Amino acid sequence: MTKPVNQTYDVLRVFAIFAAGILLNWGLFFILALFTPLVVGFVCGYILGHQRNAIIAGTLSAVFSYGLLFIATGFASDLIVFSEAVLIMAIIGGVGGFIGTLLHKRMSQSSPQVSTTILPGE
């Protein structure tokens, strides 16, 4: 069985935001340090707008990017400390995704809805 087009589109969209989140984590790490996963999760959540997908994208992008970053910089010498550091960054990324989703919902509800229907006589 094949998936409907909308589900495939949603999966590709989440994967693309996940990949962008990894790159954004790497790019902003040296500028924002500890607040980077929060900002990246916030961006992922705002763009995706779906709470579950945003939390997953923010969390997994933080796990993947900080796992590789800590291994590359040599901070992965102790497995327990490495796991805890990655877990902390993942939780911060998930919280950022949740906050971004809340902001997206609030912004979309407060923005005026413009009708694009042309009525006769207009």
Side-chain angles (χ1 to χ4, degrees), residues 3 5 11 32 38 59 64 70 81-83 87 103 105 121:
K3 290 184 178 180
V5 176
V11 169
L32 297 175
L38 184 68
T59 303
F64 189 78
F70 290 155
V81 174
F82 170 71
S83 302
L87 182 65
L103 184 69
K105 288 183 180 179

Side-chain angles (χ1 to χ4, degrees), residues 4-29:
V5 176
N6 288 339
Q7 287 181 349
T8 305
Y9 175 74
D10 287 342
V11 169
L12 288 175
R13 186 172 177 226
V14 170
F15 180 74
I17 296 300
F18 164 70
I22 291 170
L23 295 175
L24 196 57
N25 269 316
W26 287 339
L28 292 177
F29 175 72

Side-chain angles (χ1 to χ4, degrees), residues 2-120:
T2 60
K3 290 184 178 180
V5 176
N6 288 339
Q7 287 181 349
T8 305
Y9 175 74
D10 287 342
V11 169
L12 288 175
R13 186 172 177 226
V14 170
F15 180 74
I17 296 300
F18 164 70
I22 291 170
L23 295 175
L24 196 57
N25 269 316
W26 287 339
L28 292 177
F29 175 72
F30 299 104
I31 299 170
L32 297 175
L34 184 62
F35 296 110
T36 301
L38 184 68
V39 171
V40 171
F42 178 78
V43 169
C44 290
Y46 187 79
I47 291 173
L48 288 174
H50 188 264
Q51 188 172 5
R52 181 178 59 89
N53 292 341
I55 292 172
I56 289 172
T59 303
L60 289 181
S61 67
V63 166
F64 189 78
S65 62
Y66 281 100
L68 288 177
L69 191 66
F70 290 155
I71 289 171
T73 56
F75 289 118
S77 59
D78 187 15
L79 185 62
I80 294 174
V81 174
F82 170 71
S83 302
E84 288 176 356
V86 170
L87 182 65
I88 289 169
M89 293 300 189
I91 290 171
I92 294 172
V95 168
F98 179 73
I99 293 171
T101 303
L102 292 179
L103 184 69
H104 175 80
K105 288 183 180 179
R106 178 168 287 197
M107 295 292 285
S108 65
Q109 288 174 355
S110 67
S111 65
Q113 300 296 323
V114 178
S115 175
T116 57
T117 306
I118 300 174
L119 300 173

